[in-house]
């Protein structure tokens, strides 16, 4: 499916005639001709590939609204401040990157239920959302501006891993805002970060390179601990610096993590326990403080607990990946 926006009148007429009278087989030719006409009148069109199909822009977007933190982070990495963004207040509690958001960025409401009125007031050139939150409101968003959705959690049969998806989306966004060269520089810096961290980890000669990576919070009945699978983006990042995720999930986990209670951790006692936990919901200082199962785990007894910080975002883009690597090296090696 191809969606085009800001089309010139002649091209719109061409598409309308095609829709009324042409055979279905001719539609791709009409669309191709339309793109050529755009190119002739204003340069090459920009084609963004999202989970909602291809979105074509006449020129790089300058006023962008992002409805997910990762996509705000991607814009910042490219040197672009979003015009509007969802959930600004909480973003700072979970995402630790530079550069920071400018004060001029407008909060457009929650990530799950953004305010259409607030988005429309910004009059954006482009809206970027995530399919599992925003697919149901796609038509309404497209009434405001061209909208592209991305899917950071492709199904197993999609044949793309979560790390590859992160890089692909970052490059798509760079093209959307005309910052391809900056994207290359950011990804080169990311690769250099991996290389330097891997050398540091190797030189440290750790007692073990095995790890599990977790994110914990209070569940409905008891503390719940997300253990990241080798398929997850965060785990793939740590594998790139020479660490080894030992978690073997029983099934494919589309979101890249299995949910355990504390008893489930007993199978991984010999590893380094890497974790993030929200400051306002620290289960280790509260529910598990006197829990005998937790206290008797080998990695607790032997002080192989490594706190990565509440604001190390495990679902972000290249900048969060660099933060994760830096935090892991600091806590595993430096401290």
């Amino acid at each position: 499916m191809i969606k085009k926006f800001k089309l010139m009148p002649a091209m719109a007429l061409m598409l309308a005639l095609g829709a009324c009278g042409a055979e279905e087989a001719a539609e791709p030719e009409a669309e191709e001709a339309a793109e050529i006409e755009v190119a002739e009148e204003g340069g090459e069109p920009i084609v963004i590939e999202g989970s909602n199909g291809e979105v074509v822009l006449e020129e790089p977007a300058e006023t962008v609204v992002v409805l997910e933190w990762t996509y705000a982070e991607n814009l910042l990495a490219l040197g672009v401040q979003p015009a509007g963004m969802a959930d600004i207040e909480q973003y700072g509690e979970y995402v630790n990157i530079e550069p920071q958001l400018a004060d001029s960025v407008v909060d457009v409401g929650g990530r799950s239920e953004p305010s259409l009125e607030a988005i429309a007031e910004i009059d954006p050139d482009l809206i970027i959302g995530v399919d599992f939150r925003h697919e149901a409101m796609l038509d309404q968003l497209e009434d405001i501006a061209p909208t592209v959705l991305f899917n950071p959690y492709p199904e197993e049969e999609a044949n793309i891993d979560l790390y590859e998806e992160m890089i692909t989306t970052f490059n798509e966004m760079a093209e959307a805002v005309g910052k391809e060269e900056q994207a290359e520089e950011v990804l080169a810096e990311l690769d250099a970060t991996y290389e330097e961290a891997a050398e540091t980890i190797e030189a440290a000669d750790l007692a073990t390179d095995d790890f599990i990576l977790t994110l914990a919070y209070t569940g409905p009945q008891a503390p719940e601990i997300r253990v990241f699978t080798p398929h997850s983006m965060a785990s793939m990042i740590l594998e790139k610096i020479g660490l080894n995720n030992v978690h073997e999930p029983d099934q494919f986990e589309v979101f890249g993590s299995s949910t355990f209670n504390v008893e489930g951790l007993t199978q991984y006692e010999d590893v380094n326990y890497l974790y993030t936990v929200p400051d306002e919901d620290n289960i280790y200082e509260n529910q598990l403080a006197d829990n005998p199962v937790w206290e008797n785990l080998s990695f607790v007894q032997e002080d192989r607990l490594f706190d990565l910080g509440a604001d190390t975002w495990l679902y972000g883009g290249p900048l969060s990946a660099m933060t994760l690597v830096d935090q892991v090296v600091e806590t595993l090696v430096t401290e």
Side-chain angles (χ1 to χ4, degrees):
M1 179 173 58
I2 298 178
K3 298 184 179 181
K4 296 177 171 58
F5 296 88
K6 294 185 178 179
L7 303 180
M8 300 300 290
M11 183 176 64
L13 177 61
M14 182 183 298
L15 291 177
L17 291 173
C20 292
E23 297 294 335
E24 289 187 2
E27 289 182 356
E29 295 181 3
E31 291 172 349
E32 183 178 354
E35 290 185 6
I36 292 172
E37 185 169 342
V38 169
E40 289 176 345
E41 295 181 359
E44 290 292 331
I46 298 170
V47 182
I48 312 165
E49 180 72 39
S51 62
N52 57 322
E54 292 183 345
V55 177
V56 180
L57 302 174
E58 289 182 31
E59 56 190 13
E62 296 183 350
T63 306
V64 184
V65 170
V66 286
L67 305 180
E68 187 66 23
W69 293 344
T70 299
Y71 307 142
E73 176 193 322
N74 283 349
L75 286 184
L76 292 173
L78 296 166
V80 176
Q81 287 284 344
M85 173 182 165
D87 270 337
I88 289 178
E89 184 174 352
Q90 283 193 306
Y91 168 84
E93 298 175 10
Y94 290 93
V95 184
N96 174 21
I97 62 160
E98 292 290 344
Q100 298 285 317
L101 286 172
D103 292 339
S104 59
V105 181
V106 175
D107 195 315
V108 297
R111 286 180 293 167
S112 296
E113 296 182 358
S115 167
L116 297 173
E117 292 77 10
I119 297 171
E121 286 182 3
I122 294 172
D123 190 22
D125 300 325
L126 179 66
I127 301 169
I128 302 175
V130 62
D131 65 349
F132 70 87
R133 294 190 201 276
H134 308 120
E135 187 173 18
M137 64 176 67
L138 179 59
D139 289 345
Q140 295 165 289
L141 293 170
E142 288 180 334
D143 285 341
I144 299 172
T147 300
V148 61
L149 304 182
F150 294 111
N151 176 16
Y153 305 110
E155 299 287 344
E156 186 174 15
E157 56 270 22
N159 198 32
I160 178 172
D161 64 48
L162 301 190
Y163 187 87
E164 183 181 357
E165 194 284 331
M166 180 267 281
I167 297 296
T168 299
T169 294
F170 181 66
N171 284 326
E172 290 288 332
M173 289 185 61
E175 186 172 359
V177 296
K179 299 290 184 179
E180 293 94 331
E181 289 186 7
Q182 287 86 341
E184 290 180 5
E185 292 172 1
V186 170
L187 294 178
E189 183 181 357
L190 179 59
D191 287 339
T193 299
Y194 294 150
E195 184 176 351
E196 181 179 355
E199 291 174 354
T200 303
I201 293 287
E202 183 178 11
D205 193 21
L206 302 173
T208 177
D209 294 329
D210 293 345
F211 75 92
I212 58 172
L213 174 65
T214 71
L215 187 158
Y217 51 90
T218 300
Q221 305 297 326
E224 294 184 353
I225 301 159
R226 291 182 190 171
V227 180
F228 286 78
T229 68
H231 165 74
S232 68
M233 180 184 66
S235 177
M236 290 181 178
I237 291 168
L238 300 191
E239 298 267 0
K240 287 179 180 294
I241 63 173
L243 300 177
N244 177 47
N245 186 355
V246 300
H247 175 43
E248 297 180 357
D250 295 331
Q251 61 188 10
F252 176 79
E253 301 284 0
V254 67
F255 292 106
S257 62
S258 310
T259 301
F260 282 23
N261 56 26
V262 66
E263 287 79 9
L265 300 176
T266 57
Q267 61 187 303
Y268 297 129
E269 292 194 62
D270 295 330
V271 304
N272 296 315
Y273 187 84
L274 308 177
Y275 69 96
T276 68
V277 63
D279 289 335
E280 71 279 9
D281 184 24
N282 192 326
I283 67 162
Y284 304 110
E285 294 180 355
N286 299 309
Q287 296 98 318
L288 297 185
D290 298 316
N291 183 293
V293 176
W294 172 255
E295 290 187 334
N296 285 306
L297 290 167
S298 296
F299 54 66
V300 177
Q301 293 280 324
E302 298 168 8
D303 195 24
R304 280 181 280 107
L305 303 174
F306 300 98
D307 184 359
L308 304 180
D311 57 356
T312 297
W313 187 234
L314 303 177
Y315 304 93
L319 295 187
S320 281
M322 284 187 254
T323 297
L324 172 60
V325 169
D326 289 344
Q327 290 293 91
V328 168
V329 170
E330 180 176 356
T331 189
L332 269 179
V333 178
T334 308
E335 292 184 357

